[in-house]
Amino acid sequence: QVQLVESGGGLVQTGGSLRLSCAASGSISSIHVMGWHRQAPGKQRELVAAITGGGNTNYADSVKGRFTISRDNAKNTVYLQMNSLKPEDTAVYYCIYQDGYDYWGRGTQVTVSS
């Protein structure tokens, strides 16, 4: 089992920045992917960004150039730096850990006011 604890959500104005963190604990595999998904009201959950243990990254087109995912392998922690936030970024952001199974965090609310 893997447990995920997210932090860093909140309310920010358009153009502002937030940094999300997600710390994994438990049975951490040497090979896994961590990332962030988000779900806005009335919409399906979607991938925001993901990063492998080796540092390879993948981003949704809607956040490229604005969001940066990074990780600290020693701390089993993944970060999402979100800049130039837009109202359409408003959603619950979920951390995910994948090693053949998917483990989800509880989610953290990000609200961008116009």
Side-chain angles (χ1 to χ4, degrees):
Q1 289 289 324
V2 174
Q3 295 77 43
L4 302 172
V5 177
E6 301 138 326
S7 60
L11 173 64
V12 66
Q13 292 186 332
T14 296
S17 299
L18 284 174
R19 188 191 195 209
L20 306 182
S21 300
C22 174
S25 62
S27 301
I28 305 298
S29 169
S30 60
I31 300 175
H32 63 267
V33 176
M34 293 187 71
W36 295 91
H37 290 230
R38 68 185 180 188
Q39 188 166 19
K43 295 188 177 181
Q44 289 189 330
R45 192 173 297 189
E46 63 176 1
L47 170 71
V48 177
I51 186 168
T52 67
N56 293 318
T57 59
N58 182 38
Y59 294 93
D61 288 342
S62 59
V63 307
K64 284 180 180 177
R66 300 188 298 123
F67 292 9
T68 301
I69 191 169
S70 61
R71 62 187 293 164
D72 183 333
N73 289 334
K75 297 181 179 179
N76 293 318
T77 298
V78 65
Y79 306 96
L80 185 68
Q81 178 67 43
M82 303 184 294
N83 298 328
S84 302
L85 282 160
K86 306 175 181 180
E88 51 263 44
D89 294 318
T90 295
V92 178
Y93 283 69
Y94 296 92
C95 179
I96 183 171
Y97 170 100
Q98 299 172 293
D99 63 359
Y101 293 94
D102 291 349
Y103 297 91
W104 293 94
R106 292 187 173 184
T108 184
Q109 177 71 46
V110 171
T111 303
V112 184
S113 63
S114 57

